[in-house]
Amino acid sequence: MGNGHMLVTLQPFCVLYEYLIDDMLAKKKLHLTLSGGGARGAAHIGVIRALQEEGIEIAQVAGVSAGSIVGMLVAAGLRADEMMLFIREFSLYNMLHLGLPSLGVTDLLKLKEHLATVAPNNDFLGLKIPFFVGVTNLNTGQGEIHSSGPLHDLVAASCAIPFVFKPEPIGEYLYADGGITNNMVVAPLLDPQAVVLGVNVIPQMTIPTDKIDSMYAVLKRTFNLSIMANTKYSIEQCRHVIYPIQTDEFGIFDTDHLDTLHDLGYAEAKRQMGEIKASLGLT
């Protein structure tokens, strides 16, 4: 009699426990990967704003070049408004202290100083979530993914566009823009219990012949095509990919349109939000 009474008492808790387990298994974590793309990286922040508005937490983040800057800001726990303030301040700081890229090769010391205002310790330990940054080792010719080591130096290295910024010396090697070898880091984010969302700010489009009308236009198109080719495999590994920018209007140094680029990312993320939430088990 006593044992039977105990079974009746515990049964609702067992049902509730099973429900909670099923609910936990149905819901998945969000892992976010952010491509390189210079000033177009402001679109990443628009995507992040949309996710934050929905209360969707990012469990892990990876980034390359401009995506590594935004990725570090995500991992440091910043809100979208704080991220936009950061890139606006650095954009002005960069132009005043480094000079325009067309004036010659320079380093990314000012970027590292600005990163230190958000993450004072030059390591990954103080970040709130796991963060992976893609870089290119110029000595070995291989792409590398780092989640430990000198944080500011690795993010700067990931942003070191060839011929514009000097390679970043780390240890015995020289490192440059991660987009040279892989413009979208996915491998460390793959997890059966996670949904990988990629944001690719390199325009995927056909360019009319009359727009490829100069040496610069050929160089720019060739650069973008090489980036598109080296991200193909990574894109295939993502559950969802957001392409915020479908125009060749914005260049990698086009810092005059940061708000417009942000808004493009936000709008496209909102458009896909239903599908993303469904994949996460949130609908």
Side-chain angles (χ1 to χ4, degrees), residues 132-173:
F132 304 90
V133 55
V135 295
T136 298
N137 185 320
L138 291 181
N139 299 90
T140 65
Q142 300 297 310
E144 297 179 2
I145 301 169
H146 291 260
S147 59
S148 63
L151 176 63
H152 307 153
D153 306 274
L154 286 164
V155 172
S158 190
C159 296
I161 301 170
F163 310 116
V164 177
F165 299 111
K166 295 177 183 178
E168 188 71 23
I170 303 175
E172 60 182 306
Y173 296 118

Side-chain angles (χ1 to χ4, degrees), residues 34-42 44 64-68 161 177 179 183 200-203 223-224 227 245 250-254 261:
L34 307 172
S35 79
R40 291 175 293 209
H44 291 317
V64 173
S65 199
S68 73
I161 301 170
D177 196 318
N183 203 44
N200 188 359
V201 297
I202 300 296
F223 173 78
N224 282 340
I227 295 297
I245 303 166
F250 306 106
I252 59 175
F253 298 111
D254 194 355
L261 290 160

Side-chain angles (χ1 to χ4, degrees), residues 70-219:
V70 179
M72 195 207 82
L73 301 182
V74 170
L78 271 65
R79 304 293 296 177
D81 285 338
E82 296 170 309
M83 295 180 196
M84 286 301 292
L85 179 61
F86 180 95
I87 66 169
R88 287 193 193 101
E89 287 178 343
F90 175 67
S91 175
L92 178 61
Y93 199 43
N94 181 36
M95 298 295 280
L96 289 176
H97 291 264
L98 294 181
L100 293 170
S102 61
L103 296 181
V105 176
T106 185
D107 61 35
L108 284 163
L109 176 61
K110 298 302 180 185
L111 172 60
K112 291 193 282 187
E113 291 176 353
H114 202 44
L115 293 172
T117 65
V118 173
N121 297 323
N122 189 21
D123 60 49
F124 290 69
L125 299 177
L127 300 177
K128 299 181 185 302
I129 61 172
F131 170 50
F132 304 90
V133 55
V135 295
T136 298
N137 185 320
L138 291 181
N139 299 90
T140 65
Q142 300 297 310
E144 297 179 2
I145 301 169
H146 291 260
S147 59
S148 63
L151 176 63
H152 307 153
D153 306 274
L154 286 164
V155 172
S158 190
C159 296
I161 301 170
F163 310 116
V164 177
F165 299 111
K166 295 177 183 178
E168 188 71 23
I170 303 175
E172 60 182 306
Y173 296 118
L174 290 176
Y175 289 90
D177 196 318
I180 299 169
T181 47
N182 182 6
N183 203 44
M184 183 179 284
V185 169
V186 171
L189 303 180
L190 297 176
D191 180 340
Q193 294 304 313
V195 171
V196 178
L197 170 63
V199 185
N200 188 359
V201 297
I202 300 296
Q204 312 288 302
M205 57 184 296
T206 300
I207 305 294
T209 301
D210 62 359
K211 295 292 186 180
I212 309 176
D213 57 357
S214 66
M215 290 181 62
Y216 173 73
V218 172
L219 180 63

Side-chain angles (χ1 to χ4, degrees), residues 14 18 21 26 42 45 60 80 105 144 147 161 188 217 223 226 229 269:
C14 293
E18 290 177 3
I21 292 297
I45 302 177
Q60 296 185 15
V105 176
E144 297 179 2
S147 59
I161 301 170
F223 173 78
S226 68

